[in-house]
Amino acid sequence: MTPPDEPKRPFKPRPPRAGGTRSPRPDGPRPPWKPRPGGAPRPGPGGPRDTSWQKASGWYDKSVGEEGNFYHQTVVIPGLLRLLRLGETERVKLLDLACGQGVLARSLPATVEYWGVDLSQDLLASARKLDQKSTHRYVHGDACGELPFAETAFSHAACMLALQNVESPERLMRNAAARLVPGGRFVMALNHPCFRIPKQTSWVRDDVNRIQYRRVDRYLSRQRIAIRTNPSMGGASPETWTFHAPLSDLFAWLHAAGLFVDGLEEWVSNKRSAGPAALMENRARAEFPLFLGLSAVKR
């Protein structure tokens, strides 16, 4: 998922709390989030939590479209293709984990043998409708679970803007590594885990000092965050989930899967502002990346 740029807000100092400081939680500090054993979703009031995008598939399919949204087309897909280095392999066979409605597949060279896996049946149906290449297959399955096919010997694997939407990303990485040939390449693009944490990061504008900066309220803690895809609908809006983990966890999971990072890129917004605040807004965009791209090789 690629949410829009977060809205800017003017800088206002927070008034002091009555009585001085915040009272501690009566039960002590909040414990860090940990996924359930085996990667199973944590049960909620109505049973196990559904972390697929099936309920939000209509909204997501419309927002991405056939060619991808603005950031897909101008930043993320070009960056991911650059990291994949497809031209260095004579016969490319690519596994796309959590492929959604297949926007990456439609950007690949025609010679690539492609396998896409996703948990949403509706998004897969849209992918098959938009992409009828005989060398492309779309399979219903959990990218973090046991994949429903025996196919191996993939030269490449990818996960584009989906790692932050699965509850057990370390299992997805292990699946990628298990299906790659030795020397195969796994590439992932995700919302930057340092600067794009829903409800924990935001743009702040300081009109006194004429600067715009990125506010980060939390980073090192593992987090599970509910997202309403259409906030104007209130409680009737489809709900999805995002799962934050710091960079140290991402690198540790890759290493544990036998994947060794050989490339890292940070991609900024290429939008430009006009008007009286343009200078500070454009300078801030150039300093704080929206996306992170990682490339790792199986040894």
Side-chain angles (χ1 to χ4, degrees), residues 51-70:
T51 58
S52 81
W53 282 61
Q54 179 65 20
K55 292 180 180 178
S57 60
W59 165 84
Y60 181 75
D61 193 17
K62 183 177 179 181
S63 69
V64 173
E66 184 171 356
E67 297 180 353
N69 61 28
F70 174 81

Side-chain angles (χ1 to χ4, degrees), residues 12-83:
K12 293 182 180 179
R14 182 177 295 174
R17 292 178 176 269
T21 59
R22 178 181 298 189
S23 300
R25 287 171 52 90
D27 54 350
R30 187 185 302 275
W33 166 74
K34 294 181 180 179
R36 291 175 65 80
R42 190 178 299 274
R49 177 178 289 118
D50 181 8
T51 58
S52 81
W53 282 61
Q54 179 65 20
K55 292 180 180 178
S57 60
W59 165 84
Y60 181 75
D61 193 17
K62 183 177 179 181
S63 69
V64 173
E66 184 171 356
E67 297 180 353
N69 61 28
F70 174 81
Y71 283 128
H72 279 120
Q73 294 179 38
T74 63
V75 178
V76 177
I77 292 177
L80 190 141
L81 291 176
R82 183 169 58 249
L83 287 173

Side-chain angles (χ1 to χ4, degrees), residues 60-238:
Y60 181 75
D61 193 17
K62 183 177 179 181
S63 69
V64 173
E66 184 171 356
E67 297 180 353
N69 61 28
F70 174 81
Y71 283 128
H72 279 120
Q73 294 179 38
T74 63
V75 178
V76 177
I77 292 177
L80 190 141
L81 291 176
R82 183 169 58 249
L83 287 173
L84 280 169
R85 295 157 62 171
L86 299 178
E88 298 179 9
T89 304
E90 183 176 352
R91 179 177 176 270
V92 176
K93 183 177 177 183
L94 187 144
L95 175 63
D96 187 2
L97 294 166
C99 66
Q101 46 91 286
V103 64
L104 174 61
R106 297 189 293 277
S107 304
L108 295 173
T111 55
V112 172
E113 181 182 348
Y114 172 93
W115 291 64
V117 178
D118 202 89
L119 202 53
S120 169
Q121 291 277 26
D122 286 351
L123 289 178
L124 289 173
S126 180
R128 296 182 185 109
K129 180 179 178 181
L130 294 169
D131 177 10
Q132 300 182 13
K133 293 189 178 77
S134 60
T135 56
H136 289 193
R137 300 173 177 83
Y138 293 94
V139 182
H140 180 244
D142 184 355
C144 301
E146 184 176 350
L147 299 183
F149 53 83
E151 194 73 16
T152 58
F154 288 92
S155 62
H156 296 75
C159 182
M160 185 175 74
L161 297 182
L163 196 77
Q164 66 267 12
N165 301 122
V166 299
E167 193 162 12
S168 300
E170 69 278 13
R171 293 170 63 88
L172 184 148
M173 295 177 188
R174 290 202 299 266
N175 273 343
R179 301 304 176 107
L180 285 171
V181 298
R185 183 176 300 278
F186 172 56
V187 170
M188 58 184 183
L190 63 156
N191 292 336
H192 203 295
C194 298
F195 305 112
R196 293 189 77 191
I197 310 170
K199 304 180 182 179
Q200 303 299 333
T201 60
S202 56
W203 289 116
V204 183
R205 201 171 78 185
D206 181 349
D207 289 322
V208 174
N209 294 302
R210 298 289 298 166
I211 60 171
Q212 179 171 297
Y213 60 91
R214 199 68 173 162
R215 171 174 170 162
V216 179
D217 293 332
R218 298 177 68 189
Y219 168 69
L220 277 176
S221 301
R222 297 282 303 279
Q223 297 171 55
R224 181 199 316 109
I225 305 165
I227 303 293
R228 287 179 176 174
T229 60
N230 191 341
S232 64
M233 295 174 61
S237 170

